[in-house]
């Protein structure tokens, strides 16, 4: 259940670490796995400093596609609230997580760092599923 002011982990390499939900595009209800929300970046991911003068600056510049305070669209990929599937299985994750996307629906990052829910398949987010290392 993702609603207004909910903090989520960002699991892609777009440069955001923690984001806050500011709007739910389902309007009347809370967001579930596979729903599109609007978030603001609260904490930026630090990628470490390069060794030597100017070392690692190209990879850091390429990895920081978003900055603190940026407003972006995101897809919810994990929720801490229990979710019952059609086959009777109940799934619950340890945290709330999302993946940042652009206006056309393409993920901003090129790599996902952890598992996502398989409910994304029902909502036609196959691009996110293909980037994920595992879906549960």
């Amino acid at each position: 259940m993702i609603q207004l002011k909910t903090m989520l982990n960002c699991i892609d390499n777009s440069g955001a670490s923690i984001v806050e939900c500011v709007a739910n595009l389902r309007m009347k209800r809370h967001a579930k796995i596979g729903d599109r929300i609007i978030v603001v970046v609260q904490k930026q991911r630090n990628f470490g400093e390069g060794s030597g003068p100017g070392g690692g600056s190209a990879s850091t510049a390429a990895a920081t596609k978003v900055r603190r305070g940026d407003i972006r669209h995101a897809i919810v990929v994990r929720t801490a609230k229990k979710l019952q599937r059609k086959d009777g299985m109940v799934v619950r994750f340890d945290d709330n997580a999302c993946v940042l996307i652009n206006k056309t629906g393409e993920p901003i990052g090129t790599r996902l760092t952890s598992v996502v829910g398989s409910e994304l398949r029902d909502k036609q987010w196959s691009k996110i599923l293909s980037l994920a290392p595992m879906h549960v």
Side-chain angles (χ1 to χ4, degrees):
M1 286 185 359
I2 308 299
Q3 55 192 2
L4 187 67
K5 304 291 272 184
T6 302
M7 302 295 267
L8 299 98
N9 294 329
C10 185
I11 63 166
D12 57 5
N13 64 345
S14 61
S17 176
I18 296 175
V19 297
E20 177 184 338
C21 177
V22 293
N24 179 5
L25 297 178
R26 279 187 76 194
M27 293 307 215
K28 295 185 179 180
R29 309 189 109 205
H30 52 271
K32 299 177 182 175
I33 295 177
D35 289 338
R36 193 172 183 153
I37 59 174
I38 299 175
V39 297
V40 62
V41 177
Q42 292 293 324
K43 186 175 178 186
Q44 206 172 345
R45 193 177 306 275
N46 53 355
F47 288 98
E49 300 300 323
S51 61
S57 62
S59 65
T60 304
T64 56
K65 297 172 185 157
V66 296
R67 297 269 183 208
R68 184 178 184 275
D70 284 356
I71 297 172
R72 299 288 175 148
H73 285 235
I75 299 298
V76 178
V77 294
R78 290 196 308 252
T79 58
K81 177 70 177 169
K82 292 179 183 175
L83 175 75
Q84 186 164 6
R85 294 183 176 160
K86 293 189 180 198
D87 62 354
M89 184 186 308
V90 178
V91 177
R92 179 185 174 279
F93 294 100
D94 290 336
D95 63 343
N96 298 316
C98 68
V99 173
L100 298 182
I101 59 171
N102 58 16
K103 297 278 185 174
T104 60
E106 296 293 319
I108 293 175
T110 57
R111 178 178 290 173
L112 299 185
T113 58
S114 57
V115 300
V116 299
S118 62
E119 285 79 13
L120 296 173
R121 184 180 295 120
D122 300 334
K123 303 208 175 174
Q124 282 80 37
W125 292 109
S126 58
K127 177 70 174 177
I128 296 174
L129 281 173
S130 66
L131 292 174
M134 191 169 89
H135 50 278
V136 179

